[in-house]
């Protein structure tokens, strides 16, 4: 099971899913209206490490975090 966290203004509770890579997660989240609009702009971290490829293999117990862009001053 992989835990998925939605940070900042995404405003969605964490979820646990059976996936082996980020392509599978992307397919799941595209059908979720609360999250789908954020997918193109979010950075993604696996176990607190930012990644740039969706082909990273995920293991049981991994944590994926979706980090929306933040603006501030």
């Amino acid at each position: 099971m992989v835990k998925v966290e939605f940070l900042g203004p995404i405003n969605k509770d964490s979820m646990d899913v059976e996936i082996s890579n980020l392509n599978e997660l992307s397919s799941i989240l595209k059908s979720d209206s609360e999250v789908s609009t954020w997918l193109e702009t979010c950075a993604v971290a696996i176990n607190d490490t930012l990644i740039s490829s969706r082909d990273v293999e995920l293991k049981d117990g991994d944590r994926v975090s979706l980090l929306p862009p933040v603006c501030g001053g």
Side-chain angles (χ1 to χ4, degrees):
M1 205 56 81
V2 173
K3 183 177 195 83
V4 182
E5 299 177 322
F6 305 95
L7 304 180
I10 297 177
N11 197 27
K12 181 171 176 68
D13 290 336
S14 298
M15 59 191 274
D16 294 318
V17 292
E18 284 287 343
I19 55 173
S20 60
N21 62 51
L22 293 177
N23 286 319
E24 292 176 14
L25 179 60
S26 179
S27 295
I28 292 168
L29 296 180
K30 283 180 181 177
S31 65
D32 185 325
S33 62
E34 290 179 86
V35 179
S36 61
T37 57
W38 292 100
L39 293 179
E40 294 298 317
T41 58
C42 281
V44 177
I46 298 174
N47 302 322
D48 298 325
T49 301
L50 288 175
I51 55 96
S52 59
S53 171
R54 289 192 202 181
D55 295 323
V56 175
E57 184 177 335
L58 297 170
K59 299 177 286 310
D60 189 39
D62 280 346
R63 189 179 76 244
V64 176
S65 302
L66 271 64
L67 304 117
V70 177
C71 59

